[in-house]
Amino acid sequence: MKRKSVIDIKEMKSKTPIVCLTAYTATIGRFLDNEADLLLVGDSLGMVLYDHENTLTVTLQQMINHSQAVVKSTSKACIVTDMPFGSYEESVDKAFKNAAKVMKETNCNGIKLEGGRNMFETVKYLTDRSIPVMGHIGLQPQSVIIDGGYKVKGRNKFDWDKYIDDAIAIEEAGAFSVVLEGMAEPLAAEITSRISIPTIGIGASPNCDGQVL
């Protein structure tokens, strides 16, 4: 079997539940390769492997090193690498430089970055230049300090418009999928029905196109 591509993942929308798991090492990547459609080398490795308080101290080089290990140890799953805090927010040029470095040095299938409407220009700039992007909205771990902690989004229906707009913006910018994290079930279901790219839920109910654990 050839490795699943981002196009394969995108085409699974509303057809087959997408299995996504995190992998940070060659051992885990090899073990999960037959079980998952998509493996995410998440910046959560800072907390899981390095005992950091949050994801903010993870470096670009750490993400590259761990992604290299996961890519080399797998042959079937689509591999997506998290862009760590500070590696893409400053400008579209910096985002492209760092995302291209990740793609070239790891041979992963795409990158993930956090943000909705505020990241529209960045996502579009990257996708227009052949870098596949997975979005990430709702609870955003890289914003945990300014957000005041890990809080579920969308419990109040009056807040829904912002998150729906974020999802639509990420889709319109060219992303192939979007993670919905820490999101109330009815909102996650509404977003999943409103956009044509897959939603990958983490703490966002089974009403998404896939789940990441």
Side-chain angles (χ1 to χ4, degrees):
M1 290 179 61
K2 66 183 182 68
R3 186 184 294 278
K4 279 188 170 68
S5 69
V6 296
I7 301 302
D8 294 326
I9 299 299
K10 187 175 181 179
E11 290 179 347
M12 293 174 73
K13 170 80 176 182
S14 302
K15 294 179 181 177
T16 306
I18 299 167
V19 178
C20 180
L21 296 166
T22 53
Y24 314 121
T25 64
T27 302
I28 297 300
R30 190 175 296 113
F31 183 74
L32 297 179
D33 194 31
N34 287 323
E35 313 302 328
D37 301 301
L38 195 156
L39 291 178
L40 174 65
V41 186
D43 59 358
S44 50
L45 64 83
M47 303 162 78
V48 176
L49 297 184
Y50 295 95
D51 206 26
H52 294 169
E53 183 179 355
N54 51 50
T55 64
L56 301 182
T57 55
V58 174
T59 67
L60 187 67
Q61 192 57 54
Q62 283 177 310
M63 294 309 305
I64 289 172
N65 292 344
H66 286 278
S67 293
Q68 287 173 337
V70 173
V71 170
K72 288 178 181 178
S73 66
T74 58
S75 61
K76 298 175 183 177
C78 180
I79 312 295
V80 174
T81 301
D82 252 337
M83 295 297 291
F85 176 71
S87 67
Y88 60 91
E89 299 91 338
E90 182 179 327
S91 67
V92 294
D93 289 332
K94 183 171 183 178
F96 177 78
K97 178 182 177 182
N98 287 331
K101 179 179 175 69
V102 169
M103 296 287 293
K104 289 178 70 173
E105 294 189 15
T106 70
N107 201 30
C108 67
N109 297 97
I111 59 94
K112 180 174 77 64
L113 54 79
E114 295 182 12
R117 176 65 63 181
N118 63 319
M119 281 291 127
F120 175 87
E121 294 298 335
T122 299
V123 174
K124 189 173 190 310
Y125 192 87
L126 295 179
T127 57
D128 282 350
R129 287 157 181 79
S130 302
I131 295 182
V133 176
M134 172 185 279
H136 183 146
I137 65 172
L139 192 163
Q140 297 172 36
Q142 293 177 10
S143 301
V144 64
I145 293 178
I146 198 169
D147 221 12
Y150 299 94
K151 300 176 181 178
V152 174
K153 310 298 182 181
R155 284 179 169 161
N156 188 333
K157 196 166 184 177
F158 292 106
D159 297 332
W160 282 20
D161 285 350
K162 174 195 180 316
Y163 300 108
I164 293 170
D165 182 61
D166 281 342
I168 291 171
I170 291 299
E171 177 186 19
E172 290 178 345
F176 72 90
S177 65
V178 59
V179 169
L180 309 182
E181 181 169 359
M183 190 173 285
E185 182 171 354
L187 174 57
E190 178 69 14
I191 289 174
T192 300
S193 71
R194 292 275 293 269
I195 61 176
S196 63
I197 58 174
T199 58
I200 308 295
I202 178 168
S205 87
N207 289 315
C208 300
D209 296 301
Q211 299 291 328
V212 56
L213 297 172

